[in-house]
């Protein structure tokens, strides 16, 4: 592995290729349409175009850190090889057991069929369909030469152009071959509309399909194939063809590639084998050795850093993973070695339904230090996220902005909102507050990329009668409402909930909620949404109320049923705001807000928390 310490020297061309090719991932052959690119020539152009740029210096810093990690990893590998024989024997026996369990798991899943559908150069395909004059030209979706590209069509990819590449480099790669790259501004709303059409088509085959992004989806075809008498090789070929044809018909000519296999991972890999507008069917008899000669870079989840580390160990294919399985278990963390061994055995990870933890969106644009323009970008992102939250019937409590500067440095700033929300105004207010905090700390450099992440999610209960996740505040309220009797819609105040005699299920719930609070990630600053909206630029930052500055929550104690003789139940006077005792913690604060609002006739109250007066303001 070439060291990157010589990265700042202008040596001969041969040394340049040797020292710097690993910094450039733009021309990786694993990307569809780039298998015939002259990588050495393309990498040389990229080097010449970027060697004095902030991007290149940032890549050097990251590569140096990876080199350090590789050196430590190789030292650890030597230590294992020189360890006592009995220790190595024990490790080998452990790995043998793991592989045997994976083999049994694969056998237990026989008869399941998965389809992975991947739209071909989706964004570009939409633009070319709407403007046929672009059909025979190299096209990239991006705001221009100074911006990062979203994607490129196959003609542009043949020159070495791909997504995440700076536009000026993509332009040079094409002009070096005598072609002119056409830049098309992205239209995310349009792509989302087309994605919805694709989803409607795929839902005919699997109503519970999973969309990985706007342009790809995973379907479980097991029931559909059996129900329609298509559980055969010919039937699977027919279904793959039918899916692709229906997508093309409903979208006005957009093409898709598909892979059908006994597992999701193999289906995903298969969908990429005959791009564009093709399909691959992997039968059970072929699945065992399907991944043997597969490059590790083709494994979903293995990126450029993982590839470099594996190459340092001379592990280039899935067959190499199995041959070095013991060494892999000694050198890598649990998630990564788990991923590698399952991929080599052709076994999917466990399919678990998990509540979504965040919604994210990023926009790339011409670098600017104009605060007004940056706030407008944040507003547009907030609108997109609000739409997604409403669509999934979710609300967010935490807003985090990601700022990437022109020198490719990234920083994040988080804010905690005073309530769960799915409104554009609230998300935008939190994002602007976070941007102001960033500017106060780091100044206002030229910024070409902004992103927002909405986390701290809670599901909107009551819609379609879905149950809230156990251990959440919504679950607590649902259970209390259920206990009060069917047909009674009254949920009760916080004081009533807390003063009721605890039942066994309530005791367990208390433990779960206390556990959630004790192990919650540190919360960011709390933004006063109402006051901030009134004075968006002059309102000072609120005092920090992050969990890191609060005393740790005590261990949950199991409550025993109080004796009515020794401890008479206190009376609860409804309609008086001071009947609710002060509370602390994110869940208690939310409960108190609801109680205040109910007691005060819906005016929202003033709100307070352990963070201090003024940190929580409620919205109607």
């Amino acid at each position: 592995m070439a060291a990157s310490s010589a990265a700042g020297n202008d040596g001969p061309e041969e040394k340049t290729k040797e020292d710097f090719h690993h910094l450039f991932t733009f021309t990786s052959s694993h990307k569809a349409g780039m298998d015939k690119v002259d990588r050495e020539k393309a990498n040389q152009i990229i080097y010449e175009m970027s060697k004095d740029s902030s991007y290149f210096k940032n890549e050097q810093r990251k590569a140096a850190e990876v080199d350090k990690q590789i050196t430590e990893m190789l030292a650890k590998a030597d230590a294992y090889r020189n360890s006592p024989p009995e220790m190595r024997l024990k490790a080998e026996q452990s790995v043998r057991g793991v592989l045997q369990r994976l083999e049994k798991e694969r056998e237990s899943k026989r008869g399941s069929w998965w389809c992975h559908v991947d739209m071909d150069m989706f964004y570009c395909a939409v633009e070319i369909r709407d403007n046929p004059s672009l059909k025979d030209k190299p096209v990239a979706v991006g705001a221009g030469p100074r911006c990062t590209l979203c994607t490129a069509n196959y003609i542009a990819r043949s020159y070495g152009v791909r997504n995440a590449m700076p536009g000026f480099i993509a332009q040079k790669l094409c002009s070096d071959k005598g072609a002119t790259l056409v830049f098309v501004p992205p239209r995310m709303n349009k792509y989302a509309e087309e994605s919805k059409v694709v989803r409607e088509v795929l839902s005919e085959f699997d109503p519970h399909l999973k969309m990985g992004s706007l342009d790809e989806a995973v379907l479980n075809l097991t029931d559909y194939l059996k129900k329609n008498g298509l559980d055969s090789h010919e039937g699977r070929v027919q279904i793959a063809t039918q899916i692709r044809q229906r997508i093309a018909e409903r979208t006005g000519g957009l093409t898709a590639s598909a892979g059908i296999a006994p597992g999701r991972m193999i289906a995903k890999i298969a969908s990429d084998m005959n791009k564009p507008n093709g399909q691959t069917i992997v039968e059970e008899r072929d699945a065992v050795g399907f991944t043997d000669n597969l490059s590790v870079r083709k494994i979903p989840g293995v990126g450029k850093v993982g590839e470099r580390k594996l190459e340092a160990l001379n592990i280039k294919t899935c067959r190499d993973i199995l041959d070095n399985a013991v060494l892999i278990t000694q050198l890598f963390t649990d998630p990564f070695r788990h991923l590698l061994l399952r991929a080599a055995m052709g076994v999917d990870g466990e399919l678990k339904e998990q509540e979504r933890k965040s919604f994210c969106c990023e926009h790339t644009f011409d670098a600017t230090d104009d605060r007004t323009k940056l706030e407008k970008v944040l507003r547009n992102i907030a609108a997109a996220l609000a739409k997604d939250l409403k669509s999934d019937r979710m609300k967010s409590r935490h807003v985090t902005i990601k700022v990437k500067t022109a020198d490719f440095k990234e920083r994040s700033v988080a804010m905690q909102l005073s309530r769960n929300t799915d409104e554009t105004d609230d998300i935008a207010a939190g994002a602007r507050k976070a941007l102001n905090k960033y500017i106060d700390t780091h100044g206002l450099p030229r910024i070409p990329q902004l992103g927002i992440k909405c986390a701290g999610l809670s599901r909107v209960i009551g819609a379609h009668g879905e149950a809230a996740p156990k251990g959440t505040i919504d679950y607590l309220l649902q259970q209390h409402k259920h206990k009060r009797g069917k047909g009674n819609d009254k949920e009760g105040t916080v004081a009533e909930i807390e003063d009721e005699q605890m039942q066994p299920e309530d005791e367990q719930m208390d433990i779960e909620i206390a556990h959630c609070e004790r192990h919650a990630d540190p919360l960011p600053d709390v933004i006063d949404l109402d006051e901030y909206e009134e004075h968006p630029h002059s309102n000072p930052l609120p005092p920090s109320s992050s969990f890191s500055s609060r005393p740790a929550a005590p261990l949950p104690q199991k409550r025993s049923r109080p004796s009515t003789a020794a401890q008479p139940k206190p009376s609860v006077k409804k309609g008086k705001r001071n009947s609710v005792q002060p509370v602390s913690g994110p869940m208690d604060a939310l409960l108190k807000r609801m109680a205040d609002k109910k007691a005060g006739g819906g005016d929202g109250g003033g709100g307070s928390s352990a963070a201090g007066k003024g940190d929580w303001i409620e919205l109607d």
Side-chain angles (χ1 to χ4, degrees), residues 270-292:
S271 69
D272 196 52
M273 297 185 70
N274 282 309
K275 271 187 165 289
N277 198 22
Q279 62 190 48
T280 302
I281 314 297
V282 181
E283 296 297 328
E284 285 183 335
R285 63 179 179 273
D286 303 319
V288 176
F290 178 78
T291 60
D292 279 359

mmCIF file of all heavy atoms in Angstrom, residues 270-292:
data_model
loop_
_atom_site.group_PDB
_atom_site.id
_atom_site.type_symbol
_atom_site.label_atom_id
_atom_site.label_comp_id
_atom_site.label_asym_id
_atom_site.label_seq_id
_atom_site.Cartn_x
_atom_site.Cartn_y
_atom_site.Cartn_z
ATOM 1 N N ALA A 270 -27.080 -8.895 -8.249
ATOM 2 C CA ALA A 270 -27.518 -9.374 -9.566
ATOM 3 C C ALA A 270 -28.139 -8.258 -10.391
ATOM 4 O O ALA A 270 -27.988 -8.223 -11.623
ATOM 5 C CB ALA A 270 -28.513 -10.525 -9.393
ATOM 6 N N SER A 271 -28.830 -7.320 -9.745
ATOM 7 C CA SER A 271 -29.479 -6.233 -10.488
ATOM 8 C C SER A 271 -28.469 -5.323 -11.172
ATOM 9 O O SER A 271 -28.815 -4.593 -12.102
ATOM 10 C CB SER A 271 -30.367 -5.407 -9.553
ATOM 11 O OG SER A 271 -29.575 -4.677 -8.627
ATOM 12 N N ASP A 272 -27.225 -5.364 -10.728
ATOM 13 C CA ASP A 272 -26.184 -4.495 -11.282
ATOM 14 C C ASP A 272 -25.379 -5.183 -12.393
ATOM 15 O O ASP A 272 -24.540 -4.558 -13.026
ATOM 16 C CB ASP A 272 -25.235 -4.068 -10.158
ATOM 17 C CG ASP A 272 -24.372 -2.874 -10.538
ATOM 18 O OD1 ASP A 272 -24.941 -1.862 -10.989
ATOM 19 O OD2 ASP A 272 -23.145 -2.954 -10.394
ATOM 20 N N MET A 273 -25.658 -6.455 -12.627
ATOM 21 C CA MET A 273 -24.800 -7.229 -13.534
ATOM 22 C C MET A 273 -25.121 -7.004 -14.999
ATOM 23 O O MET A 273 -24.250 -7.177 -15.855
ATOM 24 C CB MET A 273 -24.905 -8.725 -13.190
ATOM 25 C CG MET A 273 -24.394 -9.058 -11.798
ATOM 26 S SD MET A 273 -24.369 -10.824 -11.446
ATOM 27 C CE MET A 273 -23.044 -11.361 -12.532
ATOM 28 N N ASN A 274 -26.364 -6.648 -15.309
ATOM 29 C CA ASN A 274 -26.743 -6.457 -16.711
ATOM 30 C C ASN A 274 -27.339 -5.075 -16.943
ATOM 31 O O ASN A 274 -28.303 -4.914 -17.685
ATOM 32 C CB ASN A 274 -27.736 -7.547 -17.154
ATOM 33 C CG ASN A 274 -27.053 -8.868 -17.431
ATOM 34 O OD1 ASN A 274 -26.071 -8.929 -18.169
ATOM 35 N ND2 ASN A 274 -27.542 -9.920 -16.819
ATOM 36 N N LYS A 275 -26.772 -4.082 -16.303
ATOM 37 C CA LYS A 275 -27.194 -2.698 -16.510
ATOM 38 C C LYS A 275 -26.642 -2.177 -17.837
ATOM 39 O O LYS A 275 -25.538 -2.566 -18.226
ATOM 40 C CB LYS A 275 -26.691 -1.823 -15.355
ATOM 41 C CG LYS A 275 -27.651 -1.748 -14.184
ATOM 42 C CD LYS A 275 -27.156 -0.749 -13.174
ATOM 43 C CE LYS A 275 -28.229 -0.374 -12.196
ATOM 44 N NZ LYS A 275 -29.294 0.446 -12.764
ATOM 45 N N PRO A 276 -27.372 -1.293 -18.499
ATOM 46 C CA PRO A 276 -28.730 -0.831 -18.184
ATOM 47 C C PRO A 276 -29.804 -1.696 -18.830
ATOM 48 O O PRO A 276 -29.537 -2.432 -19.783
ATOM 49 C CB PRO A 276 -28.746 0.573 -18.791
ATOM 50 C CG PRO A 276 -27.839 0.468 -19.988
ATOM 51 C CD PRO A 276 -26.761 -0.508 -19.600
ATOM 52 N N ASN A 277 -31.018 -1.600 -18.297
ATOM 53 C CA ASN A 277 -32.210 -2.225 -18.865
ATOM 54 C C ASN A 277 -32.043 -3.729 -19.039
ATOM 55 O O ASN A 277 -32.364 -4.285 -20.082
ATOM 56 C CB ASN A 277 -32.561 -1.569 -20.217
ATOM 57 C CG ASN A 277 -33.989 -1.860 -20.633
ATOM 58 O OD1 ASN A 277 -34.836 -2.171 -19.798
ATOM 59 N ND2 ASN A 277 -34.263 -1.766 -21.927
ATOM 60 N N GLY A 278 -31.536 -4.378 -17.996
ATOM 61 C CA GLY A 278 -31.349 -5.818 -18.052
ATOM 62 C C GLY A 278 -31.810 -6.494 -16.782
ATOM 63 O O GLY A 278 -32.285 -5.855 -15.850
ATOM 64 N N GLN A 279 -31.647 -7.808 -16.737
ATOM 65 C CA GLN A 279 -32.060 -8.562 -15.566
ATOM 66 C C GLN A 279 -31.196 -9.803 -15.409
ATOM 67 O O GLN A 279 -30.635 -10.319 -16.374
ATOM 68 C CB GLN A 279 -33.533 -8.964 -15.671
ATOM 69 C CG GLN A 279 -33.851 -9.868 -16.855
ATOM 70 C CD GLN A 279 -35.335 -10.038 -17.063
ATOM 71 O OE1 GLN A 279 -36.101 -9.061 -17.072
ATOM 72 N NE2 GLN A 279 -35.778 -11.287 -17.245
ATOM 73 N N THR A 280 -31.072 -10.276 -14.163
ATOM 74 C CA THR A 280 -30.295 -11.467 -13.850
ATOM 75 C C THR A 280 -31.070 -12.295 -12.829
ATOM 76 O O THR A 280 -31.537 -11.756 -11.827
ATOM 77 C CB THR A 280 -28.920 -11.103 -13.261
ATOM 78 O OG1 THR A 280 -28.217 -10.277 -14.195
ATOM 79 C CG2 THR A 280 -28.110 -12.350 -12.956
ATOM 80 N N ILE A 281 -31.210 -13.577 -13.102
ATOM 81 C CA ILE A 281 -31.899 -14.497 -12.197
ATOM 82 C C ILE A 281 -30.864 -15.461 -11.633
ATOM 83 O O ILE A 281 -30.150 -16.128 -12.397
ATOM 84 C CB ILE A 281 -33.007 -15.300 -12.912
ATOM 85 C CG1 ILE A 281 -33.864 -14.379 -13.781
ATOM 86 C CG2 ILE A 281 -33.829 -16.073 -11.903
ATOM 87 C CD1 ILE A 281 -34.615 -13.316 -13.012
ATOM 88 N N VAL A 282 -30.747 -15.532 -10.322
ATOM 89 C CA VAL A 282 -29.809 -16.445 -9.661
ATOM 90 C C VAL A 282 -30.622 -17.533 -8.971
ATOM 91 O O VAL A 282 -31.384 -17.259 -8.031
ATOM 92 C CB VAL A 282 -28.938 -15.703 -8.624
ATOM 93 C CG1 VAL A 282 -27.963 -16.674 -7.966
ATOM 94 C CG2 VAL A 282 -28.181 -14.554 -9.285
ATOM 95 N N GLU A 283 -30.474 -18.773 -9.428
ATOM 96 C CA GLU A 283 -31.207 -19.893 -8.849
ATOM 97 C C GLU A 283 -30.515 -20.389 -7.583
ATOM 98 O O GLU A 283 -29.336 -20.116 -7.353
ATOM 99 C CB GLU A 283 -31.328 -21.019 -9.871
ATOM 100 C CG GLU A 283 -32.146 -20.661 -11.096
ATOM 101 C CD GLU A 283 -33.604 -20.347 -10.760
ATOM 102 O OE1 GLU A 283 -34.140 -20.952 -9.803
ATOM 103 O OE2 GLU A 283 -34.197 -19.490 -11.437
ATOM 104 N N GLU A 284 -31.256 -21.151 -6.770
ATOM 105 C CA GLU A 284 -30.711 -21.638 -5.509
ATOM 106 C C GLU A 284 -29.464 -22.489 -5.712
ATOM 107 O O GLU A 284 -28.519 -22.426 -4.928
ATOM 108 C CB GLU A 284 -31.777 -22.433 -4.760
ATOM 109 C CG GLU A 284 -32.854 -21.553 -4.126
ATOM 110 C CD GLU A 284 -33.850 -22.359 -3.319
ATOM 111 O OE1 GLU A 284 -34.016 -23.573 -3.617
ATOM 112 O OE2 GLU A 284 -34.474 -21.793 -2.408
ATOM 113 N N ARG A 285 -29.450 -23.286 -6.777
ATOM 114 C CA ARG A 285 -28.301 -24.158 -7.011
ATOM 115 C C ARG A 285 -27.032 -23.364 -7.338
ATOM 116 O O ARG A 285 -25.915 -23.873 -7.182
ATOM 117 C CB ARG A 285 -28.613 -25.127 -8.155
ATOM 118 C CG ARG A 285 -28.868 -24.437 -9.489
ATOM 119 C CD ARG A 285 -29.145 -25.427 -10.610
ATOM 120 N NE ARG A 285 -29.409 -24.751 -11.877
ATOM 121 C CZ ARG A 285 -30.608 -24.325 -12.254
ATOM 122 N NH1 ARG A 285 -31.652 -24.491 -11.444
ATOM 123 N NH2 ARG A 285 -30.782 -23.721 -13.424
ATOM 124 N N ASP A 286 -27.205 -22.122 -7.801
ATOM 125 C CA ASP A 286 -26.053 -21.294 -8.164
ATOM 126 C C ASP A 286 -25.684 -20.280 -7.083
ATOM 127 O O ASP A 286 -24.636 -19.637 -7.173
ATOM 128 C CB ASP A 286 -26.351 -20.533 -9.462
ATOM 129 C CG ASP A 286 -26.708 -21.463 -10.615
ATOM 130 O OD1 ASP A 286 -26.050 -22.519 -10.727
ATOM 131 O OD2 ASP A 286 -27.636 -21.131 -11.382
ATOM 132 N N ALA A 287 -26.556 -20.149 -6.059
ATOM 133 C CA ALA A 287 -26.355 -19.090 -5.074
ATOM 134 C C ALA A 287 -25.128 -19.333 -4.212
ATOM 135 O O ALA A 287 -24.476 -18.391 -3.776
ATOM 136 C CB ALA A 287 -27.598 -18.952 -4.196
ATOM 137 N N VAL A 288 -24.793 -20.626 -3.939
ATOM 138 C CA VAL A 288 -23.694 -20.933 -3.024
ATOM 139 C C VAL A 288 -22.375 -20.363 -3.518
ATOM 140 O O VAL A 288 -21.635 -19.719 -2.776
ATOM 141 C CB VAL A 288 -23.581 -22.455 -2.814
ATOM 142 C CG1 VAL A 288 -22.374 -22.769 -1.934
ATOM 143 C CG2 VAL A 288 -24.839 -23.009 -2.177
ATOM 144 N N GLY A 289 -22.060 -20.568 -4.777
ATOM 145 C CA GLY A 289 -20.789 -20.083 -5.307
ATOM 146 C C GLY A 289 -20.885 -18.778 -6.056
ATOM 147 O O GLY A 289 -19.906 -18.341 -6.679
ATOM 148 N N PHE A 290 -22.067 -18.113 -5.985
ATOM 149 C CA PHE A 290 -22.287 -16.909 -6.771
ATOM 150 C C PHE A 290 -21.318 -15.799 -6.409
ATOM 151 O O PHE A 290 -20.867 -15.037 -7.275
ATOM 152 C CB PHE A 290 -23.731 -16.440 -6.577
ATOM 153 C CG PHE A 290 -24.068 -15.170 -7.308
ATOM 154 C CD1 PHE A 290 -24.326 -15.193 -8.673
ATOM 155 C CD2 PHE A 290 -24.138 -13.956 -6.645
ATOM 156 C CE1 PHE A 290 -24.646 -14.027 -9.357
ATOM 157 C CE2 PHE A 290 -24.448 -12.789 -7.308
ATOM 158 C CZ PHE A 290 -24.711 -12.821 -8.664
ATOM 159 N N THR A 291 -20.974 -15.689 -5.137
ATOM 160 C CA THR A 291 -20.144 -14.578 -4.688
ATOM 161 C C THR A 291 -18.650 -14.907 -4.647
ATOM 162 O O THR A 291 -17.853 -14.039 -4.282
ATOM 163 C CB THR A 291 -20.577 -14.125 -3.280
ATOM 164 O OG1 THR A 291 -20.439 -15.223 -2.369
ATOM 165 C CG2 THR A 291 -22.022 -13.645 -3.290
ATOM 166 N N ASP A 292 -18.265 -16.140 -5.010
ATOM 167 C CA ASP A 292 -16.856 -16.540 -4.856
ATOM 168 C C ASP A 292 -15.893 -15.567 -5.523
ATOM 169 O O ASP A 292 -14.893 -15.150 -4.934
ATOM 170 C CB ASP A 292 -16.645 -17.953 -5.410
ATOM 171 C CG ASP A 292 -17.059 -19.018 -4.409
ATOM 172 O OD1 ASP A 292 -17.477 -18.634 -3.305
ATOM 173 O OD2 ASP A 292 -16.972 -20.216 -4.723
#
